Amino acid sequence: MTIFLQLAYSGIALGMIYAVIAFGYQLTYATSETLNFGQGDALMLGGLVGLTLVGFGISYWLMIPLVCIFGMLQGSVVERVAVRPAIQARSEFGWIMATIALGIIFRNMAENIWGRDALRFPSPVSETPFTVLGARILPMELLVVAGALLIMGAIELFTRSSIYGKAVVATAGDRDAAGLMGINTKLVITFSYALSSLTAAFAGVLVAPLTLTGASMGAVLGLKAFAVAIVGGLNSGMGAIVGGLLLGIMETMTGFYLSTGYKDVPGLILLLLVLTVRPAGLFGKTAIKKV
């Protein structure tokens, strides 16, 4: 039972990282029905930029808002360079290859700046675990869960209570109607990409102290978070959390009880099952379009 709880704690922390990245996918899909397939690279850049700032002597807590600002700028560049031209040209899939290509460019830039070796990110809290119900848990794992819930809750509060957030909601509901009402939908889409990359960069500095930081750290995380977004539903924040927790716990359990070589299998099986039974996701809603 102790081992089971230990694996569950680790799986929850990992799952919340997946949930934050998946939440970023949902932000862009809601406003433009497009996805940033370089989301994992935004996480990677956030982790490496954060490591550099910490190396300059900036505290971890002051570094976080700076990395978030960097993430917003990076997301704005992605939208302006890779997504907006495809939307204007009414290219149905042009944004897919464009965001993938831009992500590869960011990865190559990171390799040239920081190298290909994995780097250790110093933990901002004690690395001494404490015991909860007989199982040990790292303080950083608690910080990951709290930080993930905080960033997602803050964005949800922003979109529901501020005038700018309501513009995002209106654009998500009907982009054409929002444009006719005077809302600058292009700016809203840019803003959604900025928020999306902000969440990914924030996830990067959350997960970095638990793992090694490097140019390749975001590739797998971004792909698994995309699976989480599909499993939970691309229009459900609760779905991102539930999907992330499911995948995180399943991975840690499978890696221990079967083999680390099979830890990615349950997530793929879950994805296939959900796509077969509920194509819109566990908490997603099927959109009905009148033509």
Side-chain angles (χ1 to χ4, degrees), residues 180-287:
L180 292 173
M181 294 298 293
I183 296 175
N184 187 340
T185 56
K186 290 182 180 179
L187 184 59
V188 170
I189 293 172
T190 301
F191 184 65
S192 70
Y193 265 82
L195 282 181
S196 175
S197 290
L198 180 154
T199 60
F202 181 75
V205 295
L206 279 183
V207 74
L210 294 174
T211 63
L212 295 175
T213 310
S216 61
M217 69 176 292
V220 175
L221 288 172
L223 183 61
K224 290 181 178 179
F226 175 67
V228 166
I230 298 299
V231 168
L234 276 170
N235 49 19
S236 171
M238 179 59 68
I241 295 175
V242 173
L245 292 177
L246 280 175
L247 183 57
I249 294 173
M250 289 171 66
E251 278 191 7
T252 56
M253 296 293 178
T254 304
F256 181 82
Y257 289 111
L258 293 181
S259 168
T260 55
Y262 292 105
K263 69 183 182 66
D264 296 330
V265 174
L268 296 175
I269 293 176
L270 178 63
L271 176 62
L272 292 174
L273 288 175
V274 170
L275 288 176
T276 301
V277 179
R278 286 186 59 85
L282 295 175
F283 293 84
K285 298 178 181 178
T286 304

Side-chain angles (χ1 to χ4, degrees), residues 30-33 87 170-180 183 185 189:
T31 57
S32 61
E33 294 187 347
I87 293 178
T171 304
D174 191 324
R175 190 162 74 236
D176 293 333
L180 292 173
I183 296 175
T185 56
I189 293 172

